[in-house]
Amino acid sequence: MAGLWKGHRTVLRKLVNVFTSFPLEGLVSPAILHRCRFCTVRKCEEKITDKQVVLGIETSCDDTGAAVVSSDGQVLGQALASQQDLHLRHGGIIPTLARQLHEDNIQQVVDTALAEARISPQDLTAVAATVKPGMALPLSVGVQYGKDLALAHNKPFIPVHHMEAHALTARMLYKIDFPFLVLLVSGGHCLVVLARALHQWSIIGSTLDDAPGEALDKGARRLKLRNLPECAGMSGGRAVEHLAKSGDPLAFTFPSPMLQHADCSFSFAGLKQCLFKIAESLEGEHGVVGGQVVPQVNDVCASFQHAITGHLLRRTHKAMVYVSVRDLLPPHAQTLVVSGGVACNQYIRGALQRLCDTAGYQLIVPPPHLCTDNGIMIAWNGMERWLAQIGVLYNSEEIEAVRFEPRAPMGEDLSEDVRTLRIKAPKAIKF
């Protein structure tokens, strides 16, 4: 349907421009004015009710996701097409292939989500789509499809920041008032952020190189974990966690990155390189060649996971101290929300729980299926923006002007202020 719309858009716009050249106030109802995005007389005058529903579309990486969410947080319909198995066979995500798969799957994914919700596109209140950040080619698919769908059915369009959506998913499930602290950990990002309001974010620390999920995936690839039958269909991070359960986390020594740094930045490249050296040494010691896996792979995975977890805890704990010094959170309501694909790791979750118990924080982590990329988080972020009327686009020219942004900061950067305080590293948390 969106494809048919493209061919008639120019003709229809000319007709609409004729009608919208006349003053319409007083001639048509506010609800009709709201539904006609080409009219610039006013924006939303329609009463927002509990029946509002938003479609969310996610294509920032290798998952094609769509979901319909209501204003009370109910997931009415959802669908997800994962590309994981194909990319695992290629040893990583190939952007051109990911784009093609998004293009092949997006119509079916959206249709399934709408069918499950038992609504048509015309019943939607608005359409939301991830526009930033992410991989350029995959992003382009969801952005264009979402814009075309919104324009074809005269619906508002809501551009969504991928990491903001991750951070706010927990608010769909739990009562979490602003402000609160957020740790976002995934294959492409690692941020500790202060959520001040729906559209106000402050970055306390971010990774200087690799993200934790990237380090886990590349580590798994170097260890050739995919060659183990029990790990054949798993992502790298999941395979490491699986094998680590029967390994010794103290069997191999890894460095503790950035202990002398005054800020709350993260760095995982050194841990990854240390793993590579351990793997090379063990392969030489045991004569491991080709696709064979080193004998102590469980211990290596456990030690690697432990090192990454320790680094996350130390930097997050330091961010908590900074928040306390600057009095950025109310002492009686300190919450840490953790999301992103790496938040699915139960070992890391358990360690963060111990940190929060020690620091007096409430830890909130969405269930695993909402930590990884999905359409639900985009729909919910769109719904929150719709209810607050923040970043909602009604005008066709505004919608058509939206472009995807592979790189996009989340908010103001407080790193320099953190450095000026020269906060000492807090006492280590045992986990």
Side-chain angles (χ1 to χ4, degrees), residues 36-53:
C36 181
R37 78 165 32 74
F38 298 99
C39 176
T40 57
V41 175
R42 68 175 68 160
K43 287 188 178 180
C44 176
E45 297 290 345
E46 186 177 20
K47 182 181 179 181
I48 295 174
T49 71
D50 289 338
K51 296 181 180 180
Q52 305 299 294
V53 290

Side-chain angles (χ1 to χ4, degrees), residues 170-418:
R171 279 169 51 89
M172 186 180 76
L173 306 172
Y174 311 97
K175 178 175 171 50
I176 307 172
D177 295 324
F178 292 106
F180 56 92
L181 195 62
V182 184
L183 175 64
L184 298 171
V185 280
S186 67
H189 304 275
C190 186
L191 298 162
V192 58
V193 182
L194 181 67
R196 298 180 184 269
L198 181 62
H199 60 302
Q200 294 179 350
W201 305 81
S202 297
I203 302 171
I204 298 174
S206 60
T207 184
L208 301 178
D209 40 60
D210 294 349
E214 178 185 5
L216 287 166
D217 286 342
K218 290 182 177 178
R221 196 179 310 158
R222 177 62 185 84
L223 292 170
K224 296 170 283 190
L225 300 188
R226 190 167 165 270
N227 293 341
L228 297 173
E230 60 188 299
C231 300
M234 297 181 180
S235 66
R238 187 180 167 201
V240 169
E241 180 185 10
H242 171 71
L243 294 174
K245 291 177 182 178
S246 55
D248 179 3
L250 303 180
F252 294 91
T253 301
F254 282 80
S256 298
M258 308 192 72
L259 285 181
Q260 305 305 317
H261 286 245
D263 57 23
C264 297
S265 299
F266 299 85
S267 174
F268 297 92
L271 295 175
K272 180 188 68 179
Q273 291 301 321
C274 182
L275 173 74
F276 288 179
K277 291 180 179 178
I278 290 174
E280 183 179 5
S281 175
L282 289 174
E283 287 170 349
E285 178 183 346
H286 295 280
V288 174
V289 295
Q292 297 176 342
V293 177
V294 295
Q296 304 102 312
V297 67
N298 297 71
D299 290 341
V300 175
C301 288
S303 300
F304 186 43
Q305 177 180 256
H306 185 77
I308 287 176
T309 303
H311 184 49
L312 286 170
L313 255 64
R314 286 187 292 273
R315 308 311 283 176
T316 303
H317 195 183
K318 194 169 187 179
M320 290 175 171
V321 175
Y322 169 75
V323 165
S324 177
V325 170
R326 287 300 191 205
D327 196 24
L328 299 176
L329 290 180
H332 62 282
Q334 295 182 320
T335 298
L336 174 66
V337 171
V338 182
S339 193
V342 176
C344 296
N345 184 296
Q346 295 301 311
Y347 187 81
I348 292 175
R349 282 197 190 204
L352 287 170
Q353 183 64 66
R354 285 187 279 278
L355 168 61
C356 287
D357 291 343
T358 301
Y361 271 68
Q362 177 188 21
L363 176 66
I364 295 180
V365 187
H369 75 280
L370 292 180
C371 286
T372 53
D373 293 351
N374 60 85
I376 297 172
M377 69 181 195
I378 306 305
W380 176 248
N381 186 271
M383 179 58 75
E384 288 222 63
R385 286 180 167 273
W386 166 257
L387 294 174
Q389 286 299 294
I390 295 174
V392 182
L393 305 181
Y394 296 87
N395 184 275
S396 64
E397 284 74 21
E398 289 181 318
I399 294 173
E400 290 177 337
V402 173
R403 297 291 181 267
F404 60 86
E405 301 175 47
R407 296 182 179 275
M410 205 169 166
E412 64 171 335
D413 193 339
L414 300 180
S415 297
E416 186 57 38
D417 186 51
V418 177

Side-chain angles (χ1 to χ4, degrees), residues 71-119:
S71 56
D72 59 356
Q74 292 187 57
V75 179
L76 305 179
Q78 62 171 312
L80 186 72
S82 175
Q83 304 175 11
Q84 177 179 296
D85 292 343
L86 185 59
H87 291 301
L88 279 175
R89 293 199 296 270
H90 286 86
I93 298 173
I94 302 174
T96 53
L97 179 58
R99 176 182 60 183
Q100 183 60 55
L101 291 171
H102 283 307
E103 291 174 345
D104 293 344
N105 294 328
I106 191 166
Q107 186 67 60
Q108 181 61 44
V109 167
V110 170
D111 287 347
T112 301
L114 292 172
E116 191 174 298
R118 297 184 179 181
I119 63 173

Side-chain angles (χ1 to χ4, degrees), residues 16-17 19-25 28 32-43 394-397:
V16 171
N17 288 338
F19 288 106
T20 56
S21 63
F22 298 97
L24 298 181
E25 294 217 40
V28 296
I32 293 176
L33 281 177
H34 161 63
R35 285 193 290 270
C36 181
R37 78 165 32 74
F38 298 99
C39 176
T40 57
V41 175
R42 68 175 68 160
K43 287 188 178 180
Y394 296 87
N395 184 275
S396 64
E397 284 74 21

